[in-house]
Amino acid sequence: MPPHVDVVIVFCAIRKKAASFSKEQVRQNAVKAERQYSKLINTLTRAGLKAVGRRGESQGQLLVMVTCPQNVLAKLIHCERHSDFLYGLPMSKLPSTSDFESAPLSPADRIRLIHGFISSTPEDGGLGIIPGRKEWDLVESVMALHDHDFNDHWIRLWTRHRIASVELEKIRDQFGDSVALYFFFLTAYTQALIFPAALGTIYYLWGKPYSASYSTLLLLWSIAFVEWWRLQERILSIRWCIRGSWRVEKRRADYLPSFPWWKQEMRMMAGLPVILLFATILAVMLTGIFVLEAFVTQLYKGPGHTYVAFAPTILFSLLVPRLLAMYQKLATNFTDWENHKHQSNHSSSLSLKVFTLSAMNAYLGIALSAFVYVPFGESVMNFVQSYLFTGGHRALALLEKYNVSFNATSHLGARGAGGKKISAAGLNLWESDRKSARRMLNSSRLQDQMFAFSVTNQAVDTFTAIGLPYILRAVESFRNGKGFRNGNGKGHGKKKRVAFDDEPVGHDAHGREEREFLERVRSEVVLPEYDVFTDYSEMVTQFGYVALWSTIWPLAPAMALFNNYIEARSDAFKIAVHTRRPTPVRTDTIGPWLESLSFLTWLSALTNSALVYLFRPPDQQENELGTMMAANATDESEYLNHHPLPSLAATRELLMSALLIALFASHGYLVMRAAVRHVLKHAIWTGSKEMKEAEHVEREMKEKYLSSLGQCTPDENVMSEVTDEKDEWATFWTIDEGKDDIGKMLKDL
């Protein structure tokens, strides 16, 4: 058995930019590193922990192995359970002098207690070793090591069994409440997708497109799932004894206690203009790329028209990720500036900021196609065509003015004989025929986009999460001349290994086992930290596609169901192989993602009603639109030739009608949500075991506490002993006239 290590502190004695330092600077950094490292070891050992340093993977990196003796761990358990009792958290057992023996600790709780003890502030009873703080700027991170036996068993379990067979309690025991809650949500959401997947398949095969009944059932399903999960969260928090865990959460190291509440609110409000600014920039950018891809590239037939079609994709890849990365960095700085007391509040605020633009990036393209391209595609095409045709002639006239000519020998679409100068009138860069431009409109664009989002994008995301890390680590390993190594620290193939000076030598079992253990630790240190935000973001975004847009393509829920079957396994594989072990966190909710789901459900009421109104089949509506009806016509060109564009008044009336229907649907959503919430509350929560436990847990704890003090409780049947006391009114209490009076009444009868 390898040595038991609870956490590893990654200490960087040499900065990354040390190569550019002078000799004196290098010496000063070495003195500082020695002083801070000695302080680190002394702080840990004075607290009763065992700590020892080993060399890391790179030069100057030190790995401080920390383990917690049983007596120190028992004190941590006792302090936490007393804190839980004082703040009213539900507890399976009352705090006592034998906490460790009365309630065995799970691996996740052990890591959480020790990690929190090391990295929390002294005000909260911790050691204050917080990575990134001024006094600990050489401490990179505090991490836990994987249990590879559990990971291997977990992956095999995902591979062999169905998704419903996973024991979430074991996941919670290993990785804590946050990760277990995510996998419970993923499992519940995947199972809930069975209904819309079956419903969508039926409507896709036998139903009418843009069916009002399908959209209504889909909206009911969305509301029911969100409200069901709201209750399920409450049930799980009581079952896991974490209800109200935010009350005992440690304070953030950067929190300023004397900071007025109104200043924090003002700082949070100050971030809104920044969010709106970046949202506007992103909307303009995505709209421009949309117009370029949907109209400009279709009309262009000049030089290099084959390659121009790739311009929107290239622009999107170059501009949008950089803008989102810039915004995320700025959002992080703003969230730090807001001075949140707890990390859960900080994470919730940051998640809402980041997901706002992420959702806009995900949904704006299909929204433009649904509400601009399809209904008004011809009008936009004619406008773009006129603008580009006029601009093209002006550009060619300007080129002629400066004697710039195109040669036909270039075979780029110019007309005329080789070597002859071509005039502006002779070179057509843009499609000028309006009938030809009409035929370039893609009547199945919405369905194509939904297929891309539901199938192609999710396949790419799975490869990015599972396959790409292998490739990146392989490239990095070969660049360093170390060969390929996987995330478990197990090498493939034989390679020569040189032991470090501080490692044990010899052929004894302990020495070989320690070398293998240190090699595994070093391989885990180079892995990135796990962030549950990415996984939640993927699932909530997918829920948005299903709830908001699957009316366009009813097979989207079925594709989401299949993707989630793989996603559950890929997420487990990612945690076990491609990331560090998640740091356990106590939480009783999925945080801001529940509110995001509620907002998307409300938004789905608007989009579904608008889609059904605008795109219902021709037998249900008169000729109200131009291009949108072509999706249901057998011959698009024939339909477009016989149905002229709607007038401005008709367009205005159409938009006003769609707006009123969306407003009515919004109010209908509120009524439906209230009804579903009422029914689910009585069906799931009222009378449940968890509800009874929640009602009585605080009373029971206080009653037990009173009993431990020798005090009676209200429900106890207290029998007091009768004692003879001197009372001047003793005769008053001995004479009872009740029986005599009743006896006289009976005689009279």
Side-chain angles (χ1 to χ4, degrees):
M1 290 290 292
H4 179 80
V5 175
D6 291 309
V7 295
V8 176
I9 300 177
V10 183
F11 186 89
C12 186
I14 300 178
R15 298 179 181 272
K16 295 181 179 180
K17 298 182 180 180
S20 60
F21 289 168
S22 63
K23 188 175 182 180
E24 179 62 23
Q25 289 176 323
V26 172
R27 189 188 68 82
Q28 293 177 358
N29 288 336
V31 172
K32 176 184 176 181
E34 182 182 7
R35 188 183 304 114
Q36 192 171 134
Y37 180 79
S38 300
K39 179 183 176 182
L40 175 65
I41 298 297
N42 292 334
T43 302
L44 294 171
T45 53
R46 281 201 305 267
L49 304 175
K50 293 182 180 179
V52 64
R54 291 288 189 271
R55 291 183 179 178
E57 182 76 11
S58 58
Q59 184 181 7
Q61 186 185 70
L62 299 175
L63 307 179
V64 180
M65 316 288 177
V66 181
T67 188
C68 183
Q70 293 293 88
N71 60 332
V72 179
L73 185 61
K75 292 180 181 178
L76 295 178
I77 299 171
H78 189 73
C79 290
E80 181 181 77
R81 291 180 180 168
H82 269 266
S83 176
D84 292 349
F85 175 76
L86 291 175
Y87 285 95
L89 268 70
M91 302 176 64
S92 58
K93 292 182 179 294
L94 284 174
S96 63
T97 56
S98 58
D99 286 306
F100 189 75
E101 292 79 7
S102 60
L105 212 60
S106 67
D109 285 335
R110 179 186 178 99
I111 293 173
R112 178 179 54 79
L113 285 171
I114 299 171
H115 186 281
F117 177 58
I118 293 173
S119 59
S120 59
T121 60
E123 292 79 7
D124 286 328
L127 301 181
I129 304 175
I130 303 168
R133 294 199 74 179
K134 185 177 180 180
E135 61 270 27
W136 300 108
D137 59 333
L138 298 182
V139 176
E140 289 187 350
S141 60
V142 181
M143 56 171 285
L145 299 176
H146 277 290
D147 182 352
H148 290 278
D149 293 335
F150 173 82
N151 289 350
D152 294 340
H153 173 71
W154 190 28
I155 294 174
R156 287 196 300 269
L157 189 67
W158 280 109
T159 304
R160 294 199 307 261
H161 297 277
R162 297 176 303 167
I163 190 170
S165 64
V166 177
E167 298 181 18
L168 294 171
E169 292 293 339
K170 292 184 178 180
I171 298 177
R172 179 173 176 257
D173 289 343
Q174 284 292 324
F175 302 116
D177 303 326
S178 179
V179 176
L181 203 58
Y182 165 72
F183 276 97
F184 193 95
F185 171 79
L186 177 59
T187 304
Y189 170 54
T190 303
Q191 292 174 342
L193 278 173
I194 296 175
F195 173 75
L199 187 69
T201 303
I202 293 172
Y203 272 87
Y204 180 80
L205 296 176
W206 297 288
K208 294 181 179 180
Y210 301 101
S211 170
S213 58
Y214 173 75
S215 299
T216 303
L217 291 173
L218 185 68
L219 178 62
L220 277 172
W221 169 83
S222 304
I223 296 173
F225 171 72
V226 173
E227 296 304 321
W228 174 85
W229 175 256
R230 196 183 301 274
L231 294 173
Q232 198 63 34
E233 258 190 3
R234 191 187 306 174
I235 292 174
L236 282 176
S237 65
I238 295 172
R239 187 182 303 167
W240 292 349
C241 298
I242 53 175
R243 182 72 171 169
S245 57
W246 56 270
R247 285 177 281 185
V248 295
E249 188 176 352
K250 306 294 185 181
R251 286 172 288 189
R252 297 179 63 247
D254 299 329
Y255 172 68
L256 302 176
S258 59
F259 199 77
W261 67 268
W262 58 269
K263 281 190 177 181
Q264 184 182 19
E265 296 295 328
M266 292 297 293
R267 289 187 175 186
M268 294 174 67
M269 293 294 294
L272 291 179
V274 179
I275 297 175
L276 293 176
L277 175 63
F278 274 87
T280 303
I281 296 174
L282 180 63
V284 171
M285 191 179 296
L286 292 176
T287 303
I289 294 174
F290 166 77
V291 173
L292 179 64
E293 184 267 334
F295 301 104
V296 177
T297 57
Q298 301 296 324
L299 294 172
Y300 181 75
K301 61 176 186 177
H305 64 277
T306 305
Y307 305 102
V308 171
F310 296 101
T313 304
I314 296 174
L315 286 175
F316 183 89
S317 302
L318 292 177
L319 298 178
V320 175
R322 294 191 179 187
L323 179 68
L324 293 178
M326 185 188 308
Y327 170 75
Q328 185 167 0
K329 183 177 180 181
L330 193 62
T332 303
N333 294 334
F334 260 96
T335 309
D336 293 339
W337 183 58
E338 291 170 358
N339 191 41
H340 291 282
K341 183 177 182 179
H342 299 133
Q343 185 61 37
S344 59
N345 297 333
H346 181 277
S347 300
S348 297
S349 179
L350 180 60
S351 298
L352 287 176
K353 292 183 180 71
V354 175
F355 185 71
T356 299
L357 259 68
S358 177
M360 181 179 293
N361 180 41
Y363 304 138
L364 185 58
I366 195 168
L368 289 172
S369 296
F371 302 121
V372 176
Y373 181 88
V374 177
F376 313 110
E378 291 185 28
S379 301
V380 178
M381 179 70 84
N382 291 338
F383 172 78
V384 174
Q385 190 178 20
S386 301
Y387 180 81
L388 294 176
F389 191 73
T390 305
H393 277 276
R394 290 177 180 175
L396 286 176
L398 185 63
L399 292 175
E400 278 188 344
K401 181 179 179 180
Y402 291 97
N403 295 322
V404 179
S405 62
F406 292 95
N407 290 328
T409 54
S410 62
H411 300 288
L412 292 177
R415 299 173 184 171
K420 292 183 180 180
K421 185 178 179 181
I422 301 174
S423 64
L427 181 63
N428 294 325
L429 295 178
W430 311 100
E431 179 62 56
S432 59
D433 184 53
R434 293 201 170 188
K435 291 185 178 180
S436 299
R438 276 185 178 183
R439 285 190 287 269
M440 293 177 182
L441 293 173
N442 183 9
S443 61
S444 60
R445 177 181 176 86
L446 282 174
Q447 288 77 10
D448 294 342
Q449 281 186 297
M450 281 300 299
F451 179 83
F453 290 134
S454 303
V455 180
T456 308
N457 285 9
Q458 294 184 3
V460 172
D461 291 340
T462 302
F463 170 76
T464 303
I466 300 301
L468 187 60
Y470 273 123
I471 299 175
L472 294 178
R473 282 206 299 272
V475 172
E476 185 66 22
S477 297
F478 279 115
R479 285 180 58 188
N480 296 333
K482 299 177 182 178
F484 174 74
R485 293 188 310 172
N486 63 21
N488 293 327
K490 301 175 183 178
H492 290 268
K494 294 182 179 180
K495 63 176 182 177
K496 186 177 179 180
R497 185 186 183 282
V498 180
F500 291 107
D501 296 336
D502 61 342
E503 292 182 2
V505 294
H507 300 284
D508 61 295
H510 283 287
R512 183 172 61 255
E513 194 172 24
E514 182 176 344
R515 286 194 299 270
E516 293 175 355
F517 170 73
L518 292 175
E519 184 67 20
R520 180 168 65 84
V521 172
R522 295 184 181 108
S523 67
E524 291 187 28
V525 168
V526 299
L527 297 176
E529 293 184 358
Y530 173 74
D531 186 9
V532 75
F533 168 84
T534 304
D535 293 333
Y536 273 124
S537 180
E538 289 181 7
M539 290 299 100
V540 175
T541 302
Q542 184 199 85
F543 176 84
Y545 281 125
V546 172
L548 271 67
W549 308 111
S550 64
T551 300
I552 298 170
W553 193 51
L555 288 181
M559 296 299 103
L561 177 63
F562 175 75
N563 172 80
N564 287 5
Y565 182 82
I566 301 174
E567 181 74 19
R569 289 149 179 79
S570 65
D571 286 343
F573 190 82
K574 178 177 66 176
I575 292 176
V577 176
H578 292 319
T579 65
R580 294 179 179 179
R581 182 172 183 163
T583 302
V585 177
R586 294 177 91 182
T587 181
D588 60 350
T589 177
I590 62 175
W593 302 110
L594 181 58
E595 302 306 320
S596 299
L597 291 172
S598 299
F599 174 77
L600 291 175
T601 305
W602 169 79
L603 192 61
S604 69
L606 277 64
T607 58
N608 281 290
S609 60
L611 288 171
V612 171
Y613 174 73
L614 291 174
F615 304 137
R616 62 187 186 273
D619 59 344
Q620 299 181 30
Q621 75 174 20
E622 297 297 329
N623 300 329
E624 296 176 301
L625 293 175
T627 346
M628 71 161 197
M629 302 297 261
N632 300 300
T634 56
D635 188 350
E636 179 187 1
S637 60
E638 180 181 353
Y639 178 85
L640 292 174
N641 290 332
H642 288 84
H643 292 79
L645 291 173
S647 62
L648 182 61
T651 301
R652 186 179 304 164
E653 181 182 356
L654 175 68
L655 293 177
M656 288 301 298
S657 301
L659 182 61
L660 289 175
I661 289 177
L663 183 63
F664 176 78
S666 174
H667 288 76
Y669 159 79
L670 297 177
V671 175
M672 292 171 61
R673 186 185 67 174
V676 170
R677 181 176 295 181
H678 177 77
V679 172
L680 289 180
K681 180 180 179 180
H682 286 278
I684 298 176
W685 176 251
T686 303
S688 65
K689 176 184 176 182
E690 287 76 16
M691 188 201 75
K692 296 177 181 178
E693 184 176 353
E695 290 177 349
H696 297 293
V697 62
E698 185 176 357
R699 179 186 177 94
E700 288 176 358
M701 284 195 303
K702 292 181 178 180
E703 287 178 353
K704 290 179 181 178
Y705 180 69
L706 289 175
S707 298
S708 66
L709 297 177
Q711 303 292 331
C712 64
T713 60
D715 293 336
E716 289 184 10
N717 185 15
V718 181
M719 299 296 295
S720 58
E721 297 180 359
V722 179
T723 58
D724 295 332
E725 295 182 359
K726 293 182 179 180
D727 188 359
E728 58 181 338
W729 291 94
T731 57
F732 174 81
W733 298 106
T734 57
I735 301 174
D736 186 275
E737 299 177 352
K739 282 188 176 182
D740 295 338
D741 192 46
I742 295 174
K744 291 179 181 180
M745 293 172 58
L746 292 174
K747 290 180 179 179
D748 293 339
L749 293 176

